Amino acid sequence: MHWWLPVELTQMAHKVDTLFYVMLFVVTFFFLLVEVLLITFLIRYRRTRTNQVGAPVHGNNVLETIWTLVPTLILVFLGVYSVRYVYALQTPVATPNVIHVIGHEWYWEFRYPNGVVTQNDLRVPAGQPVLFDITSGDVVHGFYIPAVRIQQDAVPGRLTQFWVTADAKDVGRRFEVPCDQFCGAGHPKMIAWMTVMSPADYQAWLNQQKEKSPGASSGS
């Protein structure tokens, strides 16, 4: 866990953080380079008592070509690097656990494969891919899990998706799932909690919730 970033719940979260640090390094390096050159030129080419005009500065085609090509190549590299992750997050494995996510004013509804429905209580099995089918019952919401560094808008009449595989080391932990799109007066309170469970405990929980649900048949 980083001291200034949320815990990395998945391997993809680690990759996203790595990309973030690469971008941060590139931006910081060029920011410092530009500031150092700016201060250097201000001092070196300043106007003096003996030279009221200042030193003459001429163009340099080689330098201009270099400082055009280098940022272009860096941006292309970062773009390709980023797009790979976007497609990976939206292309689930063959047989994931599918959980339907529906945003409401102002709570999250979760529908599980066996018909169990919960509000603001999301459970996922560790080590197994979980695909979220996301939509909204009213206005636009933002389904955001900081621990996996992923967000998708929940849009009325439209289905968006992403998938995660929680690490086994995080079994028993709970993670915040806020709405990150302003959706009305109750937006600040629209927060769900995701609990990572072992596959056995997850299945047992699903069976238990199924038995509690209205209309469940009782055993003889």
Side-chain angles (χ1 to χ4, degrees):
M1 179 178 180
H2 303 292
W3 63 271
W4 67 313
L5 291 176
V7 64
E8 295 173 346
L9 179 58
T10 65
Q11 291 299 315
M12 181 58 71
H14 175 71
K15 293 178 181 179
V16 171
D17 283 0
T18 300
L19 176 60
F20 167 74
Y21 284 121
V22 170
M23 290 183 173
L24 181 63
F25 171 80
V26 171
V27 171
T28 302
F29 172 79
F30 281 103
F31 171 77
L32 294 177
L33 176 63
V34 169
E35 294 305 310
V36 169
L37 291 175
L38 177 62
I39 294 172
T40 300
F41 294 157
L42 284 173
I43 296 174
R44 182 174 180 180
Y45 299 111
R46 71 189 186 281
R47 185 175 61 181
T48 64
R49 291 183 178 179
T50 58
N51 185 354
Q52 293 294 310
V53 178
V57 179
H58 302 284
N60 187 308
N61 292 335
V62 174
L63 285 178
E64 291 178 4
T65 301
I66 291 174
W67 69 50
T68 300
L69 287 178
V70 170
T72 300
L73 293 175
I74 291 174
L75 290 175
V76 170
F77 167 76
L78 293 177
V80 173
Y81 206 122
S82 304
V83 168
R84 291 172 53 206
Y85 293 156
V86 172
Y87 282 106
L89 290 170
Q90 297 182 343
T91 307
V93 296
T95 56
N97 296 282
V98 180
I99 298 177
H100 296 277
V101 180
I102 306 173
H104 299 277
E105 292 182 320
W106 288 276
Y107 66 92
W108 291 108
E109 175 184 342
F110 303 107
R111 296 180 174 269
Y112 297 85
N114 68 341
V116 169
V117 179
T118 63
Q119 291 185 7
N120 293 333
D121 183 13
L122 175 60
R123 309 291 181 102
V124 298
Q128 297 181 1
V130 176
L131 174 65
F132 297 112
D133 283 342
I134 308 162
T135 188
S136 171
D138 38 55
V139 300
V140 175
H141 301 279
F143 184 62
Y144 178 41
I145 308 178
V148 298
R149 314 294 194 269
I150 305 176
Q151 186 273 357
Q152 279 285 7
D153 286 348
V155 183
R158 180 180 174 185
L159 186 69
T160 56
Q161 296 179 319
F162 68 78
W163 69 281
V164 302
T165 302
D167 288 342
K169 64 180 177 60
D170 291 307
V171 168
R173 301 187 66 177
R174 298 175 75 233
F175 300 93
E176 191 176 54
V177 184
C179 172
D180 72 343
Q181 294 281 8
F182 182 74
C183 53
H187 168 72
K189 297 181 179 180
M190 188 172 173
I191 300 175
W193 292 92
M194 182 178 71
T195 304
V196 179
M197 309 177 74
S198 68
D201 289 343
Y202 174 73
Q203 191 58 51
W205 176 81
L206 282 178
N207 295 337
Q208 183 184 44
Q209 296 301 309
K210 184 66 174 179
E211 292 175 358
K212 291 181 180 179
S213 63
S217 58
S218 59
S220 57

